[in-house]
Amino acid sequence: MKVGLFVTCLVDLVRPNIGFAALKLLEDAGCTVVFPESQTCCGQPGYNSGAREISKVLARKVLSEFRHCDYVVAPSGSCSGQMKVHTVEDLFKGEPDEAEFVALAAKWYELSDFLVNVLKIELLPSTHSSVTYHDSCSGLRELNIKAQPRILLSAAGATINEMVDCEKCCGFGGTFSIKLGDISTRMAENKCVNIAASEAKVLVGGDLGCLLNIEGRLRRNGDNITKVYHFAEVIAGMAH
């Protein structure tokens, strides 16, 4: 099985350990992982900002790099939502290459969904952490990513202390956090309060953008104890 790993811009530039964790999980499951070194952005920032033509150029680049893979997997609900939903339902609707994007979307998976529903992973490195989970907006609302990461965390032995409003936005929202900074900050503050109330010392999520936003607010509030990880790092035994 040839699986293309779309690692995402943020992972590549800010926390590559997530990419290595995803690679380990896929290879340990017997996948032949393809990683095009020329890969860059899925085009989502441009799309969200109204720069549709730039977004199309980047999406076509992704298509050219991954079209020959059996599956494409990304450790991100937002990038996966862009490629599985927005390219098909909006960007390339009625375009000559629409069918190619439909085919790409059909074989594109967010990482936890792929591990649970395609590879059906059951054995994972053991961890005994008590964690709380933040559901990112794109993964939850566009791809129905809810149970999958929790199944994996439980399989790895983690205890999940669900926080209040775990499905509410953290305030990142890509360019939303820049355009509406005050509202974004309040949303992140609310998330930090709920994390503390959960009494878990580890926050886990599936989108690095959300995790960076929340971690930044935690640290600004003086919380240097709560650890923040992508679920891939935890279940691969690479959370340090």
Side-chain angles (χ1 to χ4, degrees), residues 2-237:
K2 185 164 69 173
V3 178
L5 176 59
F6 183 79
V7 76
T8 86
C9 300
L10 278 182
V11 169
D12 181 37
L13 297 172
V14 181
R15 195 172 297 178
N17 192 58
I18 296 170
F20 288 115
L23 176 64
K24 181 179 187 299
L25 290 165
L26 293 170
E27 288 188 334
D28 286 353
C31 299
T32 300
V33 180
V34 177
F35 181 83
E37 293 186 9
S38 62
Q39 65 174 284
T40 52
C41 179
C42 68
Q44 185 191 49
Y47 178 77
N48 289 344
S49 301
R52 294 174 63 87
E53 292 307 314
I54 293 174
S55 184
K56 283 184 175 183
V57 169
L58 290 168
R60 288 188 172 110
K61 181 175 179 293
V62 174
L63 175 64
S64 69
E65 292 163 337
F66 290 97
R67 59 160 45 98
H68 300 300
C69 295
D70 298 318
Y71 294 95
V72 186
V73 175
S76 165
S78 60
C79 295
S80 295
Q82 177 69 17
M83 297 307 298
K84 286 184 69 67
V85 179
H86 299 297
T87 58
V88 175
E89 296 183 359
D90 183 14
L91 269 183
F92 295 96
K93 191 72 172 178
E95 298 277 344
D97 45 3
E98 177 185 1
E100 289 193 276
F101 280 98
V102 170
L104 180 64
K107 62 183 180 182
W108 190 296
Y109 283 81
E110 181 272 341
L111 178 63
S112 70
D113 196 28
F114 187 71
L115 294 175
V116 170
N117 292 317
V118 178
L119 297 182
K120 303 186 185 303
I121 296 294
E122 294 181 355
L123 298 176
L124 291 163
S126 179
T127 178
H128 300 288
S129 298
S130 175
V131 308
T132 193
Y133 196 89
H134 164 70
D135 296 287
S136 65
C137 294
S138 294
L140 177 67
R141 293 170 177 83
E142 294 177 352
L143 304 176
N144 296 314
I145 304 299
K146 174 72 177 180
Q148 300 93 317
R150 289 171 170 82
I151 289 171
L152 294 168
L153 288 165
S154 295
T159 300
I160 303 174
N161 296 353
E162 296 287 5
M163 72 174 97
V164 174
D165 293 333
C166 60
E167 296 183 354
K168 278 195 174 181
C169 180
C170 71
F172 177 59
T175 55
F176 173 87
S177 60
I178 299 172
K179 295 176 180 178
L180 297 167
D182 290 343
I183 297 174
S184 173
T185 298
R186 178 57 186 270
M187 294 169 76
E189 289 283 359
N190 292 344
K191 185 66 66 171
C192 291
V193 169
N194 292 336
I195 291 168
S198 77
E199 299 186 347
K201 298 305 180 185
V202 179
L203 169 68
V204 181
D207 268 285
L208 183 54
C210 300
L211 296 176
L212 290 173
N213 188 50
I214 298 169
E215 184 172 21
R217 183 50 47 187
L218 287 169
R219 303 301 178 246
R220 287 181 178 87
N221 289 345
D223 182 348
N224 295 308
I225 297 175
T226 304
K227 296 180 179 179
V228 180
Y229 294 117
H230 191 282
F231 72 81
E233 297 175 288
V234 176
I235 65 174

